[in-house]
Amino acid sequence: MSISGIKTITVIFGFIMLTNIIKAQNTSAKPQWIRPDNEKSPPIWGIHNGIVVGLWPASIEKGGPGYEGGPRGLLRIGYEYGGTVYLINYIAVEPVVNGDMEFSEVTESRVDGKWGKLFWAADSTDNEGFSPYASTRGRITHPDSKHPEVEELSLYVFMEKFLDGAHPYLKLSIRSDNSGELCLQIFNHDGSAKIERCALTATMGNYSRLRLLYLKDKVVDSRQLFAGYNDIEFAEKEPYPAKEMIRNSKGDYVVYAESNETFNELASWPQQQKYLSAWGWHYRPFYKLTQYWRVDSADYDPSLLVRVNGRAKYWGGDSADKSKYMDVPGGPAFENFELRENYHAGQKFYFGLSMKAAKDLIAN
């Protein structure tokens, strides 16, 4: 073979290798969504190395605690990393009508009288009622024309009408360029009672032992805020107005919460029998996560507040028997963590999870 022939083959081979490398890079860059295989699959959606959301009766954590995914009337919030999804928190829906709040997870269903509203999913506002299955894989769109590589997974979550007449529903979305964040947009059906406020509250801060709340000029420590409290009920203090919230580089309002413990401390678990029998409260991920709420500056309403409450003991099934409750190791932690704002149809709240420490997120 001539030298020119060898050069030609070398060029062709090099071109093929370069093409394969580019293809591999493009493939690896493509978002890896977590979606139901079909309409009869478990209702779980999310993104690899990012946030995951599921609905009852599916458990988003293999071998996780709770029967058939735990309580009803909640969004299950998890995080996927390294091929494994761990449950991190729940988000409840709490509409206020005529000054009274109703709780999606602890008020009776109109359907069967049991605790917890029925939630179900669809890919449009035309929904056919409750199904224990996914019903939709979620829609993939490209929300940013300047960055066509960015994808967004979205779906609607419907729920039965509340006893007070409120009838909200949600649109959930996750963007591939911000994989740790879930957008929750609130709407209401025609015929709903007038909703004054519709809180979306992260209900299980004790699981991650969230004790540090980051505001603009201070860090609130739950152990100091609830010092001396050791009862089985919630401990409540005044909420924090929007002017005390952190503003990020875009002007958005943000509040962060994280554990004060090192990972080794957080992953440890008391060896008394009572704790060993309640392993569902044992922190199972092999990493720490900061949790946060965010509101776009463009959607800001002056009524915006940060609200937290605390518990010194893990929830004991609403029993009045104090012997059924266990102390939270390390002292009181924040349990409910939320933003509150006067309701308007289409309002958006963002809930996020990040492996970065709060101070690093604030610095960015």
Side-chain angles (χ1 to χ4, degrees):
M1 181 180 292
S2 66
I3 294 177
S4 61
I6 294 174
K7 288 182 177 179
T8 300
I9 292 173
T10 302
V11 170
I12 293 173
F13 179 75
F15 176 76
I16 292 172
M17 290 295 294
L18 180 60
T19 301
N20 288 337
I21 290 171
I22 292 172
K23 285 182 178 179
Q25 289 175 338
N26 289 339
T27 300
S28 63
K30 187 174 178 60
Q32 299 181 50
W33 295 107
I34 298 169
R35 303 170 72 191
D37 292 332
N38 54 61
E39 293 182 352
K40 295 295 185 180
S41 297
I44 299 171
W45 304 263
I47 188 168
H48 288 284
N49 295 331
I51 202 162
V52 178
V53 59
L55 303 177
W56 183 90
S59 175
I60 62 174
E61 183 177 323
K62 291 182 179 179
Y67 173 71
E68 292 188 329
R72 298 190 326 197
L74 296 162
L75 302 177
R76 283 132 185 74
I77 303 298
Y79 196 83
E80 194 276 352
Y81 183 75
T84 301
V85 180
Y86 287 101
L87 176 70
I88 302 299
N89 214 323
Y90 295 109
I91 291 179
V93 181
E94 299 178 347
V96 175
V97 174
N98 294 325
D100 292 326
M101 180 184 293
E102 189 171 344
F103 307 93
S104 62
E105 79 278 27
V106 293
T107 53
E108 293 180 354
S109 165
R110 289 173 177 263
V111 177
D112 57 13
K114 296 180 180 180
W115 265 19
K117 308 302 182 188
L118 295 175
F119 285 18
W120 64 95
D123 60 8
S124 73
T125 54
D126 296 325
N127 74 93
E128 298 181 356
F130 173 73
S131 169
Y133 306 111
S135 299
T136 176
R137 300 192 69 217
R139 289 186 171 181
I140 300 292
T141 57
H142 297 268
D144 189 342
S145 60
K146 294 182 179 179
H147 298 279
E149 74 282 2
V150 174
E151 295 182 355
E152 182 176 75
L153 173 66
S154 63
L155 62 136
Y156 289 90
V157 171
F158 298 97
M159 59 202 74
E160 58 182 289
K161 182 181 284 189
F162 284 69
L163 300 178
D164 61 12
H167 202 184
Y169 65 93
L170 308 174
K171 182 180 181 181
L172 308 182
S173 56
I174 303 169
R175 287 176 57 123
S176 61
D177 58 348
N178 196 357
S179 61
E181 189 174 86
L182 175 69
C183 175
L184 304 101
Q185 191 170 14
I186 313 173
F187 300 92
N188 63 274
H189 291 280
D190 293 339
S192 170
K194 183 179 180 181
I195 300 174
E196 299 163 14
R197 186 181 72 236
C198 191
L200 303 174
T201 180
T203 68
M204 198 173 66
N206 270 351
Y207 173 66
S208 299
R209 304 212 279 273
L210 301 179
R211 292 197 179 94
L212 303 179
L213 184 74
Y214 288 78
L215 300 173
K216 182 174 66 175
D217 296 321
K218 61 183 176 182
V219 179
V220 180
D221 189 320
S222 62
R223 296 166 299 175
Q224 298 172 6
L225 187 65
F226 306 123
Y229 183 79
N230 196 39
D231 208 340
I232 63 174
E233 304 295 338
F234 289 107
E236 189 88 34
K237 298 290 184 178
E238 291 298 314
Y240 303 95
K243 66 181 181 180
E244 295 189 33
M245 293 178 67
I246 294 167
R247 305 288 297 276
N248 67 14
S249 59
K250 297 179 181 179
D252 299 341
Y253 292 80
V254 192
V255 58
Y256 300 96
E258 68 179 3
S259 177
N260 65 303
E261 301 180 39
T262 66
F263 172 75
N264 287 340
E265 291 170 333
L266 185 59
S268 65
W269 192 239
Q271 294 301 292
Q272 295 97 317
Q273 185 57 46
K274 180 182 287 189
Y275 286 87
L276 296 176
S277 299
W279 68 274
W281 286 110
H282 177 210
Y283 188 79
R284 295 175 296 281
F286 52 93
Y287 44 81
K288 287 179 62 177
L289 290 168
T290 299
Q291 304 183 30
Y292 68 88
W293 284 102
R294 179 175 71 84
V295 170
D296 285 332
S297 58
D299 291 336
Y300 159 74
D301 184 278
S303 64
L304 182 64
L305 299 169
V306 177
R307 181 255 182 176
V308 289
N309 62 23
R311 276 190 180 275
K313 300 178 184 295
Y314 290 115
W315 186 68
D318 204 39
S319 171
D321 183 356
K322 294 187 178 183
S323 68
K324 295 184 180 297
Y325 292 77
M326 306 179 303
D327 290 337
V328 177
F334 296 119
E335 182 75 315
N336 287 81
F337 172 42
E338 68 195 58
L339 297 181
R340 289 184 171 183
E341 187 180 75
N342 292 341
Y343 173 70
H344 64 271
Q347 68 186 143
K348 295 179 180 179
F349 297 98
Y350 298 84
F351 181 77
L353 301 171
S354 176
M355 287 188 177
K356 293 182 179 180
K359 63 179 181 180
D360 296 326
L361 292 169
I362 294 169
N364 292 333

